[in-house]
Amino acid sequence: MRRESTTCCIAGGGPAGMMLGFLLARAGVEVTVLEKHADFLRDFRGDTIHPSTMQVMHELGLLEDFLKLPHVREDDLVARFGAEDITVADFSHLPVKAPFIAFMPQWDFLDFLADHGREYPEFRLLMQTKAAGLIEENGRVAGVKAEGPDGPLEIQADLVVAADGRRSDVRAAAGFTVTELGAPMDVLWFRFSRRPDEPAQAFGQVAAGRFFIRLNRGDYWQCAFVIPKGSLEQLQAAGLDAFKAGLLALAPELADRTGELASWDDIKLLSVAVDRLERWWRPGLICIGDAAHAMSPIGGVGINLAIQDAVATANLLARPLREKTLADADLAAVQKRREWPAKVTQAAQIAIQNRVITPLLAAEKPIAPPWPLRLLQRFSLLRRLPARMVGMGVRPEHVGPELRPRR
């Protein structure tokens, strides 16, 4: 058993964990980030980098380098109902440095944060290292028990952060109770090659009982097909050819590429969950991102809400961590700051699930755009409202003075 210590140990190298680790190291706090995989290369991670996140990158002085990474810029969001395109949101009027969405493979984003984190001696990233349990002393969490490529490892820490996603092992080990809010859909995730002459814009295609989304990743389309919750077995029983036929009814231009889906192994199921913790912390431990509040994929806001959590956590905890004065009140302050934005966002997602997604998935006849979307199409000024909600979110965070480099 190897043993070591750090000031803050973060379980999970996703957006929340990597951003928090980078920010704390930048503020002079010794931090160790644990990532259970050998790399960040997983197609099912979210790609949507919103203006709120890019504003944080601007405040950190990193936006110019960040936008050199491969990405597709989207100034608006478009949904297609049959042959009719509806512009749902226009980001170009947002008062930020980058008023658009950047569709960027999440592995590039995480590698970018890791590379900049390594510029600080306080930052340490352990790949292939999974948080497997907690060290507890005198009624508080005092570190993490981990499994790494060299065997078991114990890391003593003043603070443990659970940023290991909606199925958080650290959250479960801590005994937190999760409140399930429900989701009516799951998502099938797959890819098709993309021709250079095809439109670059990402968009959603809506039809009776079907919802298909395409994201441009340069030489291929990353595709999401929304299905009713728990209906995968029924789809599989009908056969892969029937599934492909349903796709072609929405996107006939893909007919020459359906052979790229050779079997169901080429299609990954993302089980959608919307849940949250009533209490995010206990002495020595706090949950952020999906570990505290799993979001629906509606609006692609999950990654950006996780980033906002990380910024707020670093703003509030950098000084007490650096000065070794961390108290329970500091952890409670993080939840107080971020709980309301999470609840408001989830409430909006649930309303869309119940009023839009559920009727859409149950429809058997061609559907027309609902009247709110008709208003957006007719009055362009209204498109700024969803752009603000999606692009900036509720209570966007900013880089505070504690996060300026101390050298």
Side-chain angles (χ1 to χ4, degrees):
M1 173 71 73
R2 294 181 298 131
R3 293 180 174 85
E4 56 185 66
S5 63
T6 187
T7 300
C8 179
C9 184
I10 301 171
M18 291 302 301
M19 178 60 83
L20 178 59
F22 163 60
L23 292 176
L24 289 179
R26 178 182 166 98
V29 176
E30 187 181 32
V31 60
T32 298
V33 181
L34 309 181
E35 169 53 46
K36 66 182 180 181
H37 296 101
D39 54 47
F40 299 120
L41 295 172
R42 277 166 299 289
D43 274 342
F44 53 82
R45 285 184 145 164
D47 284 15
T48 51
I49 308 298
H50 287 189
S52 61
T53 294
M54 288 186 282
Q55 188 67 15
V56 169
M57 304 305 285
H58 167 64
E59 293 168 1
L60 292 168
L62 299 176
L63 182 60
E64 183 177 351
D65 287 342
F66 179 72
L67 291 177
K68 292 177 182 177
L69 298 174
H71 69 280
V72 176
R73 171 175 172 156
E74 297 287 0
D75 295 291
D76 49 36
L77 290 181
V78 176
R80 180 173 297 168
F81 288 76
E84 184 177 2
D85 287 350
I86 302 290
T87 301
V88 177
D90 177 5
F91 302 102
S92 63
H93 300 281
L94 292 177
V96 291
K97 191 68 174 180
F100 54 87
I101 282 180
F103 285 101
M104 176 184 295
Q106 193 176 121
W107 54 79
D108 287 334
F109 176 52
L110 296 177
D111 280 331
F112 181 86
L113 291 176
D115 289 343
H116 282 277
R118 293 186 184 101
E119 296 176 1
Y120 300 95
E122 294 86 355
F123 180 88
R124 188 178 182 212
L125 173 61
L126 299 181
M127 303 299 289
Q128 293 181 276
T129 305
K130 174 183 172 63
L134 297 174
I135 301 170
E136 301 195 37
E137 297 176 357
N138 301 319
R140 72 182 302 276
V141 175
V144 168
K145 298 176 182 178
E147 295 286 344
D150 298 322
L153 169 68
E154 286 190 353
I155 304 174
Q156 294 278 340
D158 297 338
L159 176 67
V160 173
V161 179
D164 50 344
R166 63 187 60 207
R167 297 180 183 86
S168 169
D169 293 318
V170 174
R171 180 178 72 183
F176 286 113
T177 300
V178 182
T179 300
E180 300 284 348
L181 303 177
M185 75 279 198
D186 288 324
V187 178
L188 301 181
W189 200 241
F190 50 94
R191 64 167 68 180
F192 284 125
S193 59
R194 178 181 172 273
R195 295 193 299 263
D197 61 338
E198 290 184 308
Q201 187 177 50
F203 65 92
Q205 177 78 45
V206 182
R210 297 187 295 275
F211 189 8
F212 180 46
I213 301 167
R214 275 188 278 180
L215 306 178
N216 179 4
R217 280 189 173 166
D219 60 351
Y220 70 93
W221 292 109
Q222 188 65 63
C223 303
F225 191 85
V226 181
I227 62 174
K229 171 69 73 175
S231 66
L232 178 58
E233 289 187 5
Q234 182 181 348
L235 281 176
Q236 291 175 327
L240 188 59
D241 287 341
F243 175 72
K244 292 179 182 180
L247 280 178
L248 293 181
L250 289 171
E253 66 275 14
L254 297 175
D256 60 337
R257 281 161 277 184
T258 56
E260 296 172 13
L261 296 180
S263 73
W264 287 104
D265 291 337
D266 296 322
I267 303 171
K268 307 301 181 184
L269 174 68
L270 299 181
S271 181
V272 176
V274 182
D275 62 42
R276 64 172 173 256
L277 300 179
E278 292 306 312
R279 178 166 170 168
W280 297 17
W281 63 277
R282 50 176 288 197
L285 169 68
I286 191 164
C287 301
I288 64 171
D290 277 357
H293 46 73
M295 313 303 291
S296 165
I298 293 171
V301 298
I303 175 177
N304 301 281
L305 208 68
I307 293 295
Q308 300 296 306
D309 282 2
V311 175
T313 303
N315 279 334
L316 291 166
L317 301 188
R319 174 178 289 182
L321 283 170
R322 191 175 57 248
E323 297 177 354
K324 302 292 185 180
T325 60
L326 183 71
D328 292 352
D330 299 313
L331 304 181
V334 173
Q335 178 174 353
K336 182 178 180 180
R337 174 75 187 176
R338 295 304 305 162
E339 185 175 33
W340 181 71
K343 285 185 174 181
V344 171
T345 305
Q346 286 181 326
Q349 290 184 325
I350 290 171
I352 294 172
Q353 286 182 171
N354 294 340
R355 299 176 185 178
V356 178
I357 303 297
T358 297
L360 186 157
L361 293 176
E364 298 179 354
K365 298 179 180 179
I367 60 173
W371 67 264
L373 295 187
R374 291 284 189 192
L375 288 177
L376 293 175
Q377 188 70 352
R378 184 173 180 181
F379 302 104
S380 60
L381 193 64
L382 295 179
R383 299 171 197 165
R384 301 184 187 187
L385 298 177
R388 172 75 190 190
M389 184 65 181
V390 171
M392 299 304 296
V394 180
R395 187 183 283 165
E397 303 291 344
H398 298 279
V399 175
E402 288 300 322
L403 305 186
R404 296 171 185 161
R406 296 190 167 267
R407 58 180 56 80

